[in-house]
Amino acid sequence: MSGDDTGRMLAASLERILRELGTPAVVRDADLGGAGARAGAGEGDPSSISELLAALEAAGFHAALVDEARGGAGLGWSDVAALLRACGNGAAPVALADTLGAQALARLAGSSLEPGWATFGAGRTGECDPGGGAANGVVVAGLATWRHARTLVVSIRERAEDEAAIWKFALPAGAKGCNLAGEPRATVRLDLAAGERLGTAGGGIDALHVGAAVRSAQLAGACARVVRLAADYARDRVQFGRPIAAFQAIQHQLALAQEWASMAAAASALALADRGVALDRHRVAAAKYVGAQAAQECARVAHAVHGAIGVTAEYDLQLFTRRLWSWAAEFGSQTFWAERLGAELLASGSARSWDQVVRHASLADPAS
């Protein structure tokens, strides 16, 4: 079975599970403004989330990028890219995307995690502890702190600019906070003495790149969902005796949004084209930049087409646009990656920007 076939099969299975068990009602309940958050659970109704997690575990998604020797499937990016897009398309209120990122980061260091839910982030060293003592710890900001995740994988930049140490920790309990989408996010402080060094990731790749690649795929999936919601609403909404989808101005805006959604999908597919877990820095930067821009454009068009109903809590659109805005800012903003791309272009000596684009656009050789 080819990687594309595997990806399609896995994505179809995940989409079915999310339709049945990860419904918009469950997503709302998991959001900050949902019933679960008001009750203090912070992660939705426990029984609903547990049922969803059990189904995902039964399908083996929690071990997709774990080595076969450790009981996993041993898949690569090209196999799970469609899974990540499905996570965005369904606003999955669980740690699946972050688990895949953590597993890939461990493999980049020449190690592997055990099957199970995990998360990951980029750490900073040299921080003082809350008591003002000497620094022997790591701070990870904006970490996805899913309650059902048990393992945290962190990259720490070392002296060599192209190397990052990869560490594994137990995810600290009690961290609170969320992003605009209501997903759990927090800043955590870790003691290196409590962690385990898994190895070193080379090639200039660290958690920032892994996270940008993961979020770019989620952005592509959410963009596709937002455009579909807008198109469906435009066909149903009648104004002046005909559906608003019949008006040329609406058609133009929907076509523009679809173009951006398609570009985001293509860019994320290139970033996650490797059959293992290797990543190309240029492709990742381009994918996150395009995905963040697509998020803005697709959300803008969708809310404009929907009008006032699009901003109400009762309507599903905001479940996805809030995630678009949140994910676009995580693991490097659009401006951050644009500056990275510009600096690499200037340093490459290419006479034209197109020369650099073509150099890194071949699917046949991801390492080119």
Side-chain angles (χ1 to χ4, degrees):
M1 185 180 293
S2 69
D4 290 342
D5 291 337
T6 299
R8 283 191 290 268
M9 180 185 68
L10 292 173
S13 178
L14 176 59
E15 289 164 1
R16 177 185 58 78
I17 292 172
L18 291 177
R19 280 196 304 270
E20 296 175 358
L21 302 174
T23 63
V26 174
V27 176
R28 279 186 175 83
D29 197 42
D31 279 355
L32 175 66
R38 286 199 299 271
E43 200 178 314
D45 177 57
S47 61
S48 298
I49 298 297
S50 295
E51 191 176 0
L52 174 57
L53 289 171
L56 295 174
E57 291 170 6
F61 292 133
H62 69 313
L65 293 184
V66 173
D67 283 344
E68 293 182 66
R70 290 207 162 192
L75 301 179
W77 284 128
S78 62
D79 299 309
V80 302
L83 274 182
L84 292 168
R85 289 193 294 272
C87 286
N89 193 272
V94 291
L96 178 54
D98 295 291
T99 295
L100 296 175
Q103 292 170 356
L105 193 57
R107 282 175 58 184
L108 284 168
S111 184
S112 186
L113 302 180
E114 296 288 343
W117 302 108
T119 187
F120 70 103
R124 303 192 314 272
T125 57
E127 301 281 347
C128 293
D129 62 36
N136 183 35
V138 178
V139 173
V140 186
L143 178 69
T145 52
W146 301 97
R147 180 171 295 184
H148 51 275
R150 294 291 178 265
T151 302
L152 167 59
V153 180
V154 176
S155 70
I156 304 172
R157 281 288 177 182
E158 298 189 317
R159 293 181 181 179
E161 188 175 341
D162 63 343
E163 291 185 348
I166 310 301
W167 287 72
K168 181 177 75 171
F169 299 87
L171 182 63
K176 295 181 179 180
C178 66
N179 60 13
L180 180 62
E183 298 174 310
R185 298 290 189 272
T187 295
V188 301
R189 290 172 171 81
L190 307 164
D191 186 349
L192 285 175
E196 174 189 351
R197 179 173 171 142
L198 299 179
T200 302
I205 300 298
D206 61 7
L208 189 66
H209 297 87
V210 173
V214 168
R215 292 291 184 265
S216 73
Q218 291 177 271
L219 285 168
C223 282
R225 182 65 172 269
V226 162
V227 173
R228 187 168 78 248
L229 285 171
D232 290 344
Y233 179 80
R235 284 191 293 268
D236 294 338
R237 179 73 167 93
V238 175
Q239 189 71 30
F240 304 112
R242 57 177 175 162
I244 63 173
F247 293 95
Q248 190 173 29
I250 298 294
Q251 293 173 358
H252 172 75
Q253 290 298 308
L254 289 173
L256 179 64
Q258 182 57 61
E259 288 177 357
W260 276 107
S262 297
M263 283 192 286
S268 68
L270 280 171
L272 298 172
D274 195 82
R275 295 196 180 278
V277 292
L279 289 170
D280 182 285
R281 289 180 300 170
H282 308 276
R283 291 184 179 189
V284 170
K288 188 57 164 62
Y289 172 82
V290 171
Q293 182 66 37
Q296 295 180 27
E297 296 297 330
C298 291
R300 178 187 64 80
V301 169
H303 280 287
V305 169
H306 279 87
I309 193 176
V311 299
T312 60
E314 295 79 9
Y315 195 73
D316 289 351
L317 179 64
Q318 52 82 25
L319 298 176
F320 301 95
T321 53
R322 285 191 293 114
R323 281 163 174 76
L324 286 178
W325 294 320
S326 297
W327 295 338
E330 293 179 351
F331 293 106
S333 66
Q334 181 180 355
T335 300
F336 174 87
W337 289 110
E339 290 175 348
R340 285 280 185 103
L341 285 169
E344 290 175 353
L345 173 63
L346 293 174
S348 70
S350 298
R352 301 175 302 168
S353 59
W354 182 246
D355 296 334
Q356 190 76 349
V357 172
V358 172
R359 179 185 174 194
H360 294 285
S362 172
L363 273 172
D365 184 8
S368 62

